[in-house]
Amino acid sequence: MRTKESVALPDETLSYDGHSRGLEKELLFLFGFLGTMPIIQIGGFSIFTLLLCITVLFKLIVTRKIWVRKVCVPYVLIVICSVCSVVSCLTSSIPEWWKNAQWTELLWDFFYLFLFLAYTGQRNCHLIINYMRGVFVGAIFQMAWGYFQFVSYYIAHIDINNMIFVKLLNMVPNASQIMEENLKISGMCWNSGNFAPLMLLGYCFGEKSITKLLFAGMCCMSGSRTLFLGFIAVVVCEFIRTVYNDFFRSRVRIRRKMVLYAVAILAVIFVGAQNQVVVDKVLGVRDSLSSNVLDSQSSARLHARYWTSVPHITKNNSLEKNLLGFGLKSSGYSQVLYYGQYADSKYAWVVECDFINNLWSRGYLGFILLYSWLFYHFIKGARINYKYGLFFIGLLVEGVTYNVMFNWCWVFLLFCILYKDGLQCLPSLDYSKKKKGERLFHGNYE
């Protein structure tokens, strides 16, 4: 009897392991898909927050597999710097509401670190691709929803997001960005912070021409200068790469794909030029980039000052603040302290720029560690798949004018660092190609 039990136990264990990993695949896909939609909230918590907690708990309770490899060490150091920044903030004379914000942000950092450690290792590679596919399908869905928003607002005169998520479901107080009666298309995000990198991802990794054109159209029609700038940067880099490959490396004067690409762009421009609403959206982005910069009350002036104020703040900061920053989610205090911006506010806020936010939240030490680590993997990943390089360049450009490297985008970047080869399989949603992608992973991983 004892022998029978000892023989059955491994089979039961394998069956349970297979079942749990199957559930984990579905969970990660949902985490990637729904996590890109911040206006979906339950009990005041975003769906991303809820799914992140569920994923962490699932890994802790069910799988209990943690792998620590050399790729983890730099990120561990970055999180340690975050802890030092928090300690520096808590022991300073900064107002209490800035100190209270530290704990939540530090918890987020630990959650992200746990995901990075938990999904390091070869046996997790076919799990990660499910998250990446979820994000990609989410990008396609939100692009389609963006066009639905556009038609609903400008033709039917209905703000579909506010009608469904505010009035009907009462999930959020506001689900749309409307400025001077013009709607900024944002899909199922209430602002461009989540929508901009998502549309960029869809454009960079979309393989079919029609998919890329639809994403390109949304990048231009959204009305977000953050998204528009990132898209232009990606298109320019893509064009330079194509010209280099066609004219120099392959020594071919013009390939058919270049002609088709040019014709498709001209077709989009021609169709868009016939629609006054589309023309107004594009011109609105142009005007927001070029005008009102000298207006002391304008958003553009404040964003410009985030950059121009760096030498002044650095010069007047203490050595501790320069090295460790003002604390997580406290980069805005640099503007309050030296320029009185939003001085009456009683809540912590961050500078709307990825670079400056990380600089004054984490200090020069954390900033250098973070971006040197990202750039190292950007160069390494671009050699494996140039689309990774395009996407990262677009994120950097978008980060100049807004905060985009957070939430789902940060998790996606962490998983890209672990499994760069998987980016080649993103648009492949059918079963056979999925299996091909999983076999690819087993040959290359961090």
Side-chain angles (χ1 to χ4, degrees):
M1 189 70 179
R2 183 176 301 172
T3 305
K4 183 178 179 180
E5 289 179 353
S6 64
V7 172
L9 183 59
D11 293 334
E12 292 172 359
T13 304
L14 288 173
S15 175
Y16 175 74
D17 183 63
H19 179 65
S20 65
R21 291 180 76 79
L23 288 175
E24 193 170 8
K25 285 184 179 181
E26 300 301 322
L27 175 60
L28 285 170
F29 182 86
L30 286 176
F31 183 28
F33 177 68
L34 294 177
T36 64
M37 307 174 187
I39 61 176
I40 299 180
Q41 295 192 4
I42 301 174
F45 295 96
S46 70
I47 194 69
F48 173 85
T49 302
L50 294 173
L51 287 172
L52 174 63
C53 294
I54 292 171
T55 303
V56 169
L57 288 173
F58 188 92
K59 202 68 175 175
L60 276 172
I61 298 172
V62 179
T63 61
R64 300 188 297 275
K65 303 291 184 183
I66 300 294
W67 299 80
V68 180
R69 299 177 183 271
K70 64 179 181 180
V71 71
C72 304
V73 175
Y75 190 40
V76 171
L77 292 177
I78 291 169
V79 175
I80 290 174
C81 281
S82 297
V83 175
C84 293
S85 297
V86 169
V87 172
S88 175
C89 176
L90 295 176
T91 55
S92 69
S93 58
I94 194 171
E96 285 301 317
W97 55 88
W98 295 92
K99 294 181 179 180
N100 294 336
Q102 304 302 302
W103 301 109
T104 304
E105 292 303 304
L106 189 59
L107 182 63
W108 281 111
D109 268 20
F110 281 125
F111 274 169
Y112 295 143
L113 176 62
F114 176 83
L115 285 181
F116 194 75
L117 296 177
Y119 287 99
T120 299
Q122 184 177 1
R123 75 189 306 264
N124 289 307
C125 56
H126 60 288
L127 297 172
I128 295 303
I129 194 64
N130 278 51
Y131 175 83
M132 291 181 166
R133 280 200 181 89
V135 173
F136 188 79
V137 174
I140 294 175
F141 178 83
Q142 293 221 51
M143 176 264 290
W145 188 267
Y147 281 107
F148 182 48
Q149 263 190 299
F150 183 89
V151 172
S152 299
Y153 189 83
Y154 288 104
I155 296 179
H157 304 291
I158 297 173
D159 183 352
I160 193 69
N161 273 15
N162 273 330
M163 186 180 76
I164 295 176
F165 298 100
V166 178
K167 295 179 181 179
L168 183 62
L169 300 178
N170 196 29
M171 285 186 171
V172 288
N174 185 28
S176 300
Q177 267 190 305
I178 299 177
M179 301 180 65
E180 298 178 354
E181 298 184 356
N182 289 318
L183 175 69
K184 284 192 174 183
I185 309 301
S186 57
M188 299 188 73
C189 312
W190 69 272
N191 68 3
S192 61
N194 275 264
F195 191 68
L198 196 61
M199 293 302 99
L200 210 58
L201 181 145
Y203 177 80
C204 289
F205 296 111
E207 288 189 338
K208 294 183 178 179
S209 298
I210 184 63
T211 304
K212 290 182 74 72
L213 286 173
L214 287 171
F215 275 109
M218 184 50 57
C219 289
C220 296
M221 291 168 53
S222 169
S224 166
R225 61 187 176 191
T226 298
L227 175 53
F228 188 74
L229 284 172
F231 172 67
I232 293 299
V234 165
V235 169
V236 169
C237 292
E238 199 171 33
F239 178 77
I240 293 173
R241 180 183 180 275
T242 302
V243 170
Y244 174 75
N245 285 338
D246 288 349
F247 286 89
F248 295 96
R249 293 186 63 182
S250 300
R251 299 187 182 280
V252 176
R253 186 177 180 182
I254 295 179
R255 288 183 179 178
R256 185 177 63 175
K257 67 178 183 179
M258 290 186 66
V259 176
L260 293 175
Y261 192 66
V263 170
I265 291 177
L266 290 174
V268 170
I269 294 174
F270 177 78
V271 172
Q274 306 306 309
N275 190 315
Q276 189 59 41
V277 175
V278 176
V279 173
D280 291 342
K281 295 289 287 183
V282 176
L283 292 179
V285 173
R286 183 204 65 182
D287 294 340
S288 69
L289 291 171
S290 59
S291 64
N292 296 327
V293 176
L294 297 180
D295 181 3
S296 61
Q297 301 302 319
S298 72
S299 172
R301 174 59 181 263
L302 293 179
H303 280 252
R305 192 175 67 189
Y306 295 149
W307 287 91
T308 59
S309 65
V310 171
H312 175 72
I313 296 176
T314 302
K315 181 181 178 180
N316 290 277
N317 266 349
S318 64
L319 178 61
E320 179 185 356
K321 292 304 177 190
N322 278 331
L323 284 178
L324 302 177
F326 292 91
L328 303 183
K329 202 179 178 180
S330 297
S331 59
Y333 190 69
S334 64
Q335 306 301 310
V336 174
L337 186 63
Y338 291 102
Y339 296 97
Q341 182 179 333
Y342 309 140
D344 296 333
S345 174
K346 297 298 181 183
Y347 62 90
W349 56 277
V350 298
V351 169
E352 291 180 328
C353 168
D354 270 334
F355 295 96
I356 307 303
N357 175 42
N358 282 311
L359 176 62
W360 298 132
S361 291
R362 303 172 184 273
Y364 279 94
L365 182 60
F367 179 88
I368 292 171
L369 277 175
L370 176 64
Y371 280 99
S372 60
W373 184 62
L374 289 175
F375 270 102
Y376 168 77
H377 287 287
F378 148 67
I379 296 171
K380 191 175 179 181
R383 290 173 179 172
I384 297 173
N385 185 351
Y386 78 94
K387 294 179 180 180
Y388 174 80
L390 284 177
F391 179 57
F392 190 76
I393 288 172
L395 282 183
L396 292 178
V397 174
E398 288 185 343
V400 172
T401 61
Y402 211 79
N403 296 312
V404 295
M405 287 191 191
F406 71 102
N407 207 299
W408 71 265
C409 188
W410 184 244
V411 175
F412 188 85
L413 280 180
L414 293 179
F415 285 164
C416 285
I417 288 172
L418 291 177
Y419 306 107
K420 302 179 188 71
D421 284 351
L423 299 178
Q424 298 175 9
C425 311
L426 275 177
S428 307
L429 303 177
D430 62 278
Y431 183 80
S432 61
K433 291 184 178 180
K434 179 179 177 181
K435 287 296 182 183
K436 180 181 177 183
E438 291 178 3
R439 289 196 299 271
L440 172 65
F441 273 143
H442 285 282
N444 292 281
Y445 65 93
E446 291 289 355

